[in-house]
Amino acid sequence: MRLYRFLTAVDDATFCHKVTAALNKGWHLYGSPTYAYDKKEKVMRCGQAVVKDVEGQEYVPGETKLGDW
């Protein structure tokens, strides 16, 4: 199965650590990062899509927990 996640966080070290943790669990960057201003919170936010192939497993919507991989 191929898994997809979109990671987001405030533009600080938290975001970098979140992406780094995913990469160290075998996820791969997918596309370019995004960067936008959150007008309500008055902060910049980052986003990055990541994907991961898991052999021998079947994707089940609502049951497959992406954070477990």
Side-chain angles (χ1 to χ4, degrees):
M1 77 176 152
R2 175 164 264 204
L3 301 173
Y4 170 91
R5 293 176 70 191
F6 188 71
L7 307 174
T8 62
V10 173
D11 180 25
D12 62 12
T14 302
F15 177 72
C16 296
H17 287 289
K18 187 182 280 192
V19 174
T20 299
L23 295 174
N24 280 285
K25 289 182 177 181
W27 293 83
H28 300 277
L29 299 177
Y30 184 81
S32 299
T34 60
Y35 196 63
Y37 184 68
D38 181 335
K39 196 173 185 178
K40 181 179 178 183
E41 299 295 323
K42 297 183 169 84
V43 296
M44 294 301 292
R45 295 199 179 271
C46 296
Q48 174 66 57
V50 292
V51 294
K52 183 176 187 177
D53 291 317
V54 180
E55 297 297 325
Q57 298 291 321
E58 185 177 331
Y59 173 71
V60 181
E63 292 181 26
T64 301
K65 305 293 184 211
L66 299 175
D68 291 347
W69 298 99

